[in-house]
Amino acid sequence: AGDNTPRRYYEQQVGQTMRRIDIAEPTVPIPRLPTPPSNGLGAEEDSLQNTKMLRPKPVYRDMAKYKKYAGKVMRFTAKWDSEKPEENCRTFIISFYPADDAVSIWETSGDGRNTGMASGKFLERTRLTKTGTHGSKLAYYKQSDFCVGATIVAFSRRFVLTTMDNFTARMIDMASDDTTATGEFMGSPSARLAMQVGEDERMALMESFILADRTKSGTISLEDVMEILAKHLHGFSDADVMALVDLGREHTRDFSGGIKYEKLYNRVFETLHSSNDAPSSFPPS
């Protein structure tokens, strides 16, 4: 770069206008080596620190969160999600520690039958990574991933959460109140579900409930309800799902796992009955 004096001198001596020459070099992206996989020794996030700096520092811990949830445990009963029918009777207690997002699993004696498996500790307390996450995209299970009906994968083994204890229910209720206070709650879960289910899908939804009731008792399992409603629950929080489940229970503290589907259906679509968009009750089976 320079002033206009050389340009004027060049024009006087040569008779031509000095043209600007672009000497800027194109920006070349800096290549980044892929994050090496963990060797399985120690926590994966600790191993990841060794790839970022020569003198690795301890992984950041959220001490405010630890102090808030220290000593608190969320407990769920779960069943083994397996294609083998002889393993379906195996039951577990899954404990989630919100202070550090750790998980432990304890196998119980099942439904009373001889499962051939000894009850006791199944998984030591540890943080569980989500399937398909590693390296710089490492993700752990957190509190929002735990709700009745959710599926937890622990080292390729799938567990379906079926019930929870009273303390866990209170924690979820408090989380729901916090969400409401921040203004993130828009409309009741039942009204939002009714809006998401199209008019032509309501009859199919009703028929799915009836087909799932093999004993014609008017009650189906929570797992069947979650499977039927799964495709309509996008955008629903854990608290929203629990509110929907409560609509089909005998009372709000009934954690038996049985859901009265006719009561659930009528409570969800009761706001639409006046316009005849949905039948007010199930037809006699």
Side-chain angles (χ1 to χ4, degrees):
D3 53 18
N4 292 326
T5 302
R7 295 178 180 273
R8 291 194 298 267
Y9 179 81
Y10 184 84
E11 292 177 357
Q12 294 173 359
Q13 298 297 326
V14 182
Q16 296 181 1
T17 302
M18 182 182 295
R19 294 180 298 173
R20 184 180 298 274
I21 301 176
D22 186 11
I23 60 173
E25 297 182 358
T27 303
V28 179
I30 301 176
R32 181 183 181 279
L33 296 176
T35 303
S38 174
N39 56 8
L41 299 177
E44 187 170 350
E45 56 186 357
D46 289 329
S47 301
L48 186 62
Q49 291 293 95
N50 295 321
T51 66
K52 296 180 178 179
M53 56 193 72
L54 294 177
R55 293 183 177 181
K57 298 180 180 179
V59 180
Y60 170 75
R61 306 292 183 183
D62 191 346
M63 296 306 299
K65 177 181 176 182
Y66 185 86
K67 292 179 180 179
K68 179 180 179 180
Y69 294 107
K72 297 182 179 180
V73 184
M74 302 173 63
R75 293 184 175 89
F76 299 83
T77 60
K79 72 171 186 176
W80 187 290
D81 186 9
S82 174
E83 298 178 354
K84 299 179 181 179
E86 62 272 13
E87 293 183 343
N88 291 334
C89 60
R90 298 178 64 180
T91 57
F92 302 84
I93 296 178
I94 297 182
S95 300
F96 177 76
Y97 305 86
D100 58 355
D101 295 339
V103 179
S104 66
I105 303 177
W106 187 277
E107 183 166 5
T108 60
S109 57
D111 56 3
R113 292 184 293 175
N114 183 8
T115 62
M117 303 296 295
S119 60
K121 185 183 296 184
F122 185 86
L123 177 66
E124 184 72 35
R125 177 175 174 173
T126 184
R127 298 181 70 188
L128 285 180
T129 58
K130 294 184 178 181
T131 304
T133 65
H134 57 83
S136 58
K137 297 183 179 180
L138 182 65
Y140 291 97
Y141 280 101
K142 52 186 179 181
Q143 182 175 346
S144 59
D145 297 317
F146 285 81
C147 64
V148 175
T151 300
I152 303 299
V153 181
F155 301 102
S156 74
R157 295 168 175 82
R158 297 171 58 86
F159 300 90
V160 179
L161 306 182
T162 55
T163 63
M164 60 183 174
D165 61 10
N166 294 337
F167 176 78
T168 304
R170 289 195 296 270
M171 285 196 63
I172 293 179
D173 290 342
M174 289 188 295
S176 176
D177 294 340
D178 293 341
T179 302
T180 304
T182 57
E184 298 177 2
F185 184 83
M186 298 179 294
S188 66
S190 58
R192 289 157 55 199
L193 178 61
M195 293 177 60
Q196 291 196 19
V197 179
E199 183 177 356
D200 55 340
E201 296 178 303
R202 295 169 196 155
M203 187 61 66
L205 184 67
M206 178 178 62
E207 294 174 352
S208 299
F209 282 140
I210 296 176
L211 290 176
D213 184 13
R214 300 175 182 83
T215 60
K216 305 302 179 183
S217 61
T219 302
I220 59 178
S221 66
L222 178 60
E223 293 81 3
D224 290 334
V225 173
M226 297 304 298
E227 182 177 355
I228 294 172
L229 296 179
K231 65 178 182 179
H232 303 294
L233 297 179
H234 296 294
F236 283 71
S237 65
D238 295 343
D240 294 338
V241 175
M242 290 307 307
L244 291 174
V245 170
D246 288 340
L247 297 179
R249 288 175 173 162
E250 287 289 349
H251 48 83
T252 56
R253 295 304 177 186
D254 176 21
F255 302 116
S256 62
I259 304 297
K260 291 188 174 297
Y261 55 88
E262 183 175 357
K263 179 181 178 181
L264 172 62
Y265 183 91
N266 291 335
R267 292 287 298 277
V268 169
F269 295 106
E270 62 184 0
T271 57
L272 304 177
H273 294 164
S274 58
S275 60
N276 296 325
D277 285 341
S280 59
S281 61
F282 279 72
S285 56

